[in-house]
Amino acid sequence: MVDRSFADLSLAALYDTLNPWGAGDDFYLGFVMDADAVLDVGCGTGHLLRRAHADGHRGRLVGLDPAAAMLVQARRLGSGVEWVLGDLRTREWRAEFELVVMTGHAFQVLVGDEELRAALRAVRRALRPAGRFVFETRNPGARAWETWTPGRVREVTGPDGGAVRVWHELERPLRGDRVTFTETYDSDTWQRPRVSRTTLRFLGPDALSAVLREVGLTVVEQYGDWDRAPLTPTCPEIITVTEAKS
């Protein structure tokens, strides 16, 4: 089921404002520009692939997302990319891509064991021999969820020119490796707030390596932040570069 923050057209229109281009996008763009065929899983509004096309990428760029509202934004803002509605369970590719990426912590929405394995097997099938799968997940050791509180409110300007306030609130703190929280959007121009509920999975480096190895993906690089700093117990990210076994 797609979270409301991605399924609601008015909230999807806020995504790029709430998530401006940053160091993580620069990191992924380097990989994308070096690959002739790229699949972006959970592409959202497609700003990574749109930027790659604008910067001169002339190979195949495919953006896959289950949220129609996000792809409305992608199609409105960019061309030169194949936008596909669906997910790795409903669309299958075989050895078509040199690179698969999963950005924006999208990896963490794969909360079930079989769901995770099925997605990774689909990624592996989509890759050519020696193709790469690159993604990031929040490091559980950094305990990022402890900062998701109603007191931390962001305010942005919506498409109608009105101010929109956004905040998070834990609904279920860490249980095993899962965290559930709400994301609330509110504006003086709306009749009522709009609330999206999400559960994310926080896997540590050892668990990640094990499940990747199981599906035929070998970890070749891991970093703790977008400056390619070493992975430490409390670094904010686990940025992982894998390679498909021949």
Side-chain angles (χ1 to χ4, degrees):
M1 187 179 205
V2 177
D3 293 344
R4 185 176 183 181
S5 58
F6 307 133
D8 184 309
L9 280 169
S10 61
L11 301 185
L14 296 171
Y15 185 85
D16 284 351
T17 302
L18 288 166
N19 300 275
W21 189 273
D25 300 293
D26 287 328
F27 177 90
Y28 282 108
L29 184 62
F31 285 94
V32 173
M33 296 304 290
D34 286 341
D36 68 346
V38 181
L39 173 63
D40 184 352
V41 178
C43 67
T45 62
H47 74 170
L48 175 63
L49 298 187
R50 287 189 276 115
R51 174 68 172 272
H53 180 72
D55 283 0
H57 192 289
R58 293 297 176 260
R60 186 183 182 194
L61 299 172
V62 180
L64 174 70
D65 201 281
M70 298 295 272
L71 291 185
V72 166
Q73 297 298 312
R75 293 185 175 111
R76 181 177 68 84
L77 296 169
S79 60
V81 179
E82 299 174 44
W83 304 114
V84 179
L85 179 64
D87 59 31
L88 289 166
R89 296 169 296 181
T90 58
R91 186 67 182 263
E92 183 171 317
W93 291 274
R94 290 192 176 273
E96 296 184 36
F97 298 98
E98 185 179 348
L99 174 71
V100 176
V101 298
M102 192 178 287
T103 71
H105 302 111
F107 184 88
Q108 291 185 256
V109 305
L110 302 169
V111 296
D113 288 343
E114 188 47 43
E115 178 187 20
L116 176 61
R117 290 187 178 92
L120 291 176
R121 285 194 291 265
V123 167
R124 174 64 186 85
R125 288 193 297 270
L127 285 170
R128 300 169 185 167
R132 292 199 162 187
F133 172 46
V134 186
F135 68 97
E136 93 283 347
T137 181
R138 296 177 184 88
N139 184 3
R143 303 183 68 83
W145 59 85
E146 293 180 348
T147 68
W148 299 346
T149 65
R152 296 169 62 94
V153 180
R154 294 184 63 188
E155 185 171 298
V156 297
T157 301
D160 62 358
V164 179
R165 298 174 295 279
V166 186
W167 66 90
H168 300 86
E169 186 170 3
L170 280 183
E171 184 177 292
R172 185 183 302 162
L174 188 68
R175 291 189 179 181
D177 54 19
R178 295 165 176 81
V179 171
T180 300
F181 65 97
T182 57
E183 185 174 36
T184 301
Y185 299 75
D186 196 15
S187 174
D188 293 338
T189 63
W190 298 350
Q191 291 185 342
R192 62 182 63 86
R194 300 169 191 180
V195 180
S196 178
R197 182 175 182 271
T198 303
T199 297
L200 299 179
R201 189 171 189 180
F202 287 75
L203 290 176
D206 291 342
L208 279 175
S209 295
V211 71
L212 291 165
R213 187 166 53 248
E214 181 182 327
V215 301
L217 293 166
T218 301
V219 174
V220 293
E221 298 171 14
Q222 276 188 321
Y223 306 109
D225 64 28
W226 300 115
D227 292 327
R228 300 179 185 245
L231 192 61
T232 66
T234 58
C235 60
E237 306 283 350
I238 304 173
I239 302 161
T240 303
V241 181
T242 73
E243 187 173 284
K245 293 180 180 178
S246 302

